[in-house]
Amino acid sequence: MAALAVVLESVFVIVAWRPNAANSPLPRALLWLSAAGIFYLIAVALTLRARAGSGLRLRWILLAAVVFRLTLLPLTPQLGAQAQRHHWDGKIQQAGFNPYAYPPGSDMFSPIRAPEDAAVPHPQVAATAPPLAELLFRWNYGWSSGLRAEKILWVVCDLLLIGLLVRMLRRRDLPPEWVLLYAWSPLAVYEVAGNGHLAPAAALLVLAVLNAGEKRLRAASAAAVAAGGTQ
């Protein structure tokens, strides 16, 4: 497992520090991630076959997951430009504009449009992200106007999501080491830490609601059993 973690980390280091060639028809990152997928599947197979209950193994799995994501934080998003769109939506909200009212290509944004804003996707379409996501874009831009700061927010959400998955696995008497299936996924690591995808924030919110609902259901079941035992 340690050797597999080192191999995966080596792939992420290569992806982070060797950007794709300008004339390459296929992003180099996809080729390296495809190779990493082979070692990831081996790690998954070993994890599913291993005995549960090794706290040391779980700690190493979590530590490797953190290192993978920190490695890709400096990477400029290569696949898609959603991070630039989130950055733009936060920028205009800080300037007092409603992101749902005007598209990025509107002439009214000419005084605040910077050269890097040319990469904003779909300039003729106003914001389509949910309101809570737009509030996160605004808060994140107010904290720091750089793309890396936005990626930090999603990585933090991703790590919280991993912690919640461990908690939910334990509650179901399942091996917490199974969190590796998500925590070590090359695609998940690359999309969140590399491309700045906001999916972990949405998944964290959904799982938190499900976890809270499960707690209430268990409490209600326990109360019903207790009440039945007193009759």
Side-chain angles (χ1 to χ4, degrees):
M1 291 295 291
L4 290 171
V6 170
V7 172
L8 289 174
E9 172 61 12
S10 300
V11 171
F12 293 136
V13 169
I14 293 173
V15 171
W17 298 105
R18 293 188 63 184
N20 188 59
N23 58 351
S24 175
L26 183 66
R28 185 182 288 123
L30 292 182
L31 299 177
W32 283 108
L33 291 175
S34 299
I38 299 174
F39 299 97
Y40 161 72
L41 292 176
I42 296 174
V44 168
L46 292 176
T47 300
L48 295 179
R49 294 180 58 185
R51 292 182 179 181
S54 174
L56 179 61
R57 185 185 299 118
L58 177 61
R59 286 195 289 271
W60 280 110
I61 289 173
L62 298 178
L63 177 61
V66 172
V67 173
F68 295 161
R69 286 157 175 80
L70 293 180
T71 300
L72 289 183
L73 268 181
L75 179 67
T76 300
Q78 298 178 353
L79 301 180
Q82 288 305 308
Q84 286 84 351
R85 181 57 187 255
H86 303 162
H87 180 266
W88 170 263
D89 286 357
K91 177 179 180 178
I92 63 173
Q93 286 183 82
Q94 287 291 333
F97 294 97
N98 181 351
Y100 297 109
Y102 307 100
S106 175
D107 293 337
M108 68 184 304
F109 294 129
S110 298
I112 63 173
R113 186 176 289 112
E116 60 269 17
D117 294 331
V120 175
H122 309 298
Q124 302 305 320
V125 180
T128 58
L132 181 57
E134 291 294 338
L135 288 176
L136 285 175
F137 302 156
R138 177 178 180 176
W139 174 83
N140 204 41
Y141 188 90
W143 171 51
S144 177
S145 59
L147 285 177
R148 188 175 300 176
E150 179 181 323
K151 291 169 64 176
I152 290 174
L153 173 63
W154 309 135
V155 167
V156 170
C157 290
D158 204 26
L159 296 177
L160 292 175
L161 175 61
I162 291 172
L164 183 57
L165 287 172
V166 171
R167 184 181 183 89
M168 297 179 75
L169 286 169
R170 282 175 169 162
R171 180 172 296 164
R172 289 164 173 76
D173 295 323
L174 295 173
E177 291 83 5
W178 285 6
V179 75
L180 176 142
L181 275 69
Y182 174 74
W184 282 26
S185 169
L187 181 60
V189 175
Y190 181 76
E191 279 299 313
V192 177
N195 279 330
H197 205 289
L198 60 80
L204 177 63
L205 180 61
V206 171
L207 282 187
V209 172
L210 292 176
N211 186 54
E214 185 180 59
K215 284 184 178 180
R216 293 178 181 176
L217 181 60
R218 286 176 178 265
S221 300
V225 170
T230 58
Q231 294 178 356

